Amino acid sequence: MTSWGIIQQSLPMFEKGFVLTLWLSFIGIIGSILVGLICSLLQYFKVPIFHQIATVYVEISRNTPLLIQLFFLYYAFPVIGIKFSAQLCGIIGLIFLGGSYMAEGFTGGFNGVSKGQLESGKAIGLSRWQLARYVIFPQGFSLSVPAMAANVIFLIKETSIFTVIAIPELTNTALDLIGMYYRSNEYLFVLVVAYAIILIPLSVILTLLEKRVRYGSFGN
Amino acid sequence: MDHSGISVLFEGTNFTRLLGGLWVTVKIAGIALILGLILGIVLGVLRTFRNRLLRLILRLYLEFFRIVPTVVLLFLFYYILPKQLNFNLPADQIATLVFALWVGAEMSDIVRGALISVPKHQRESGLAIGLNRHQLYRYVLIPQAITLEIPATINLATRVIKTTSLLMLISVMDVINIGQQIIEANNHTHPTGVFWVYGLIFLFYFLIDYPLSWWAKRLEKRRLERTNG
């Protein structure tokens, strides 16, 4: 069969993988942003005990590979009686990893708000909460957008590792097809194109977004 | 026979085998980093030149390695190099090549970013005292850029080390692959062995990466303190 025929035949399967990759990425990214925001707030306000827990979590998650985190969730946890489906493991793993990356991004943003802004806020008599609400968050959040954009792309790419616990996302679909029909050129081509379809428009959109929020950062 | 799971780590040569696997992992990451750093510095300098075509090609190279996930890159080289180009390499060398090209791409962006953020008056002063382009880069731009780029480079190194976990996918005998073999071989006698073996590998990665990322953070903090006064 011609290469084109092979590709056409495989498209319905790739379509399923494509949708699953998008769906898992979406949930993972939303979850990561929530976890990251909570952790960075705990760290910023130095909430006793919780801020140490957040720091330990961030360091463990940031300094270990997703693949081992997934193996641990999927193969080791059932030994101590905790069992999740492969897809749930994937989502939990992605949020566990992404949460720390997002937390670092937000923390960087909050710490990037210039001292002059903080001092001016204090000088006009803002309380600690008001300072956070009206000065630090709006500016810190827009400062952290570039990091967040990079993390979004990073997390989508990381979903390719889900193949190790046999979640039928894009990479897994391609590897399965190669295993069955030995047409590696065709299937890898479709795979690269599929990731390009997701990531190229997204990175263009995110770059535009970065340019827009740059207006939001005061005094630059 | 029921053993407590942790003893699987110390039975026979299991522990030394795991350390051997870790060495394979570290070696591939190390060689790839060195090659990639050299490649990245050359490409990064080239990307600050005026030649548009050259800049476009290098930009496309970077974007390709940014957009394609590393798992996919590994398989691309693993399947296509031998078949299409008749270029047979063992899996560990293919992995080293992929990582080196990837590090080169990322590094070129770090180097370029650092070079263009050296203050303009430095470049102009250099030109004013009659330095040629080679001298300008050698004595003015690169030494100043290096201090700017060290934290980002260390962070890249931690990423490479984490990404070596993917080596098992193209059947390199790395620490995870050996871990899996030990788990399978001892599954009957040590049913909870899986917990300890993966736990140990988890710890290995953490012990390598944590000091590096701590160091990068400290350097970055110091640099910020210096620039913000």
Side-chain angles (χ1 to χ4, degrees):
Chain A
M1 205 190 288
T2 61
S3 293
W4 183 236
I6 298 270
I7 289 174
Q8 266 185 326
Q9 240 180 14
S10 69
L11 285 184
M13 268 171 282
F14 272 108
E15 210 180 295
K16 274 189 202 150
F18 189 83
V19 172
L20 191 59
T21 291
L22 280 181
W23 175 236
L24 295 175
S25 305
F26 179 74
I27 302 179
I29 289 164
I30 299 290
S32 300
I33 291 176
L34 288 177
V35 171
L37 206 53
I38 293 170
C39 287
S40 62
L41 290 178
L42 292 175
Q43 286 177 317
Y44 191 82
F45 288 111
K46 299 228 171 357
V47 182
I49 303 170
F50 287 101
H51 112 257
Q52 280 96 336
I53 295 174
T55 306
V56 170
Y57 153 67
V58 167
E59 293 303 340
I60 290 177
S61 144
R62 236 164 50 94
N63 290 307
T64 49
L66 178 63
L67 187 134
I68 286 290
Q69 295 169 1
L70 288 177
F71 273 3
F72 219 78
L73 276 170
Y74 193 63
Y75 295 114
F77 269 26
V79 172
I80 54 168
I82 304 171
K83 211 174 163 159
F84 303 115
S85 73
Q87 289 199 18
L88 194 55
C89 279
I91 291 171
I92 296 172
L94 199 64
I95 295 176
F96 180 81
L97 179 82
S100 68
Y101 279 77
M102 292 292 182
E104 290 282 283
F106 290 129
T107 303
F110 296 155
N111 290 335
V113 177
S114 74
K115 268 197 189 134
Q117 289 286 318
L118 296 180
E119 283 158 8
S120 316
K122 276 183 204 152
I124 59 167
L126 296 183
S127 69
R128 208 164 82 113
W129 164 245
Q130 285 173 322
L131 198 65
R133 165 73 184 76
Y134 296 106
V135 181
I136 298 163
F137 292 159
Q139 295 186 43
F141 200 74
S142 56
L143 286 176
S144 59
V145 166
M148 196 154 72
N151 288 338
V152 165
I153 304 246
F154 166 73
L155 289 174
I156 294 175
K157 283 165 63 183
E158 289 286 285
T159 60
S160 60
I161 298 175
F162 289 173
T163 186
V164 298
I165 53 171
I167 297 175
E169 43 71 59
L170 277 172
T171 304
N172 191 260
T173 306
L175 294 179
D176 251 12
L177 286 167
I178 291 171
M180 282 190 283
Y181 304 111
Y182 300 105
R183 302 294 291 244
S184 48
N185 294 355
E186 288 84 355
Y187 298 136
L188 286 172
F189 173 75
V190 180
L191 182 61
V192 171
V193 171
Y195 278 113
I197 289 174
I198 300 175
L199 293 169
I200 292 177
L202 192 65
S203 82
V204 172
I205 293 169
L206 291 174
T207 315
L208 290 177
L209 184 71
E210 271 172 47
K211 281 193 184 136
R212 264 193 78 106
V213 284
R214 208 165 291 158
Y215 291 112
S217 58
F218 186 80
N220 293 317
Chain B
M1 279 222 300
D2 206 20
H3 295 73
S4 82
I6 194 168
S7 60
V8 72
L9 298 177
F10 306 104
E11 230 150 74
T13 55
N14 284 355
F15 196 75
T16 32
R17 280 183 64 206
L18 280 170
L19 284 179
L22 190 65
W23 172 238
V24 171
T25 302
V26 169
K27 202 170 63 181
I28 290 176
I31 297 174
L33 271 168
I34 293 168
L35 294 176
L37 282 180
I38 297 169
L39 179 68
I41 290 171
V42 173
L43 297 182
V45 169
L46 289 178
R47 283 185 62 202
T48 61
F49 287 3
R50 287 259 164 86
N51 189 332
R52 284 229 171 138
L53 182 67
L54 184 70
R55 266 168 34 197
L56 178 73
I57 294 170
L58 293 178
R59 184 68 203 271
L60 287 177
Y61 170 71
L62 169 71
E63 293 301 332
F64 177 77
F65 276 87
R66 281 242 168 109
I67 280 171
V68 182
T70 322
V71 182
V72 181
L73 286 175
L74 283 172
F75 281 111
L76 273 178
F77 281 75
Y78 186 67
Y79 281 119
I80 291 179
L81 267 190
K83 210 158 111 183
Q84 238 44 38
L85 307 172
N86 235 332
F87 192 57
N88 267 312
L89 284 179
D92 58 335
Q93 287 178 26
I94 288 183
T96 313
L97 178 69
V98 171
F99 283 137
L101 290 174
W102 171 55
V103 173
E106 291 286 352
M107 196 62 206
S108 78
D109 212 38
I110 295 173
V111 171
R112 177 182 161 276
L115 282 174
I116 59 174
S117 57
V118 172
K120 217 177 183 178
H121 63 82
Q122 292 284 337
R123 171 188 279 269
E124 284 161 0
S125 316
L127 291 172
I129 59 168
L131 298 183
N132 62 31
R133 188 155 78 173
H134 170 251
Q135 289 169 324
L136 186 71
Y137 275 92
R138 166 74 184 76
Y139 296 106
V140 181
L141 298 179
I142 292 177
Q144 295 190 51
I146 281 177
T147 53
L148 289 174
E149 76 196 22
I150 285 176
T153 309
I154 300 171
N155 277 330
L156 182 59
T158 65
R159 267 174 70 198
V160 172
I161 291 163
K162 277 182 281 182
T163 313
T164 55
S165 60
L166 307 178
L167 290 172
M168 57 152 291
L169 287 172
I170 57 167
S171 35
V172 174
M173 273 300 146
D174 75 326
V175 64
I176 300 175
N177 220 331
I178 288 179
Q180 282 185 327
Q181 289 181 350
I182 291 174
I183 289 166
E184 274 160 31
N186 298 283
N187 210 5
H188 286 290
T189 51
H190 302 80
T192 58
V194 56
F195 198 83
W196 298 100
V197 173
Y198 285 144
L200 182 70
I201 297 174
F202 199 93
L203 188 68
F204 279 158
Y205 272 103
F206 183 77
L207 289 179
I208 298 175
D209 259 359
Y210 179 67
L212 284 174
S213 62
W214 180 82
W215 185 30
K217 236 185 203 170
R218 212 181 62 145
L219 289 175
E220 185 66 27
K221 210 171 157 189
R222 247 200 246 153
R223 194 175 64 81
L224 283 177
E225 277 167 4
R226 230 181 298 137
T227 48
N228 293 346

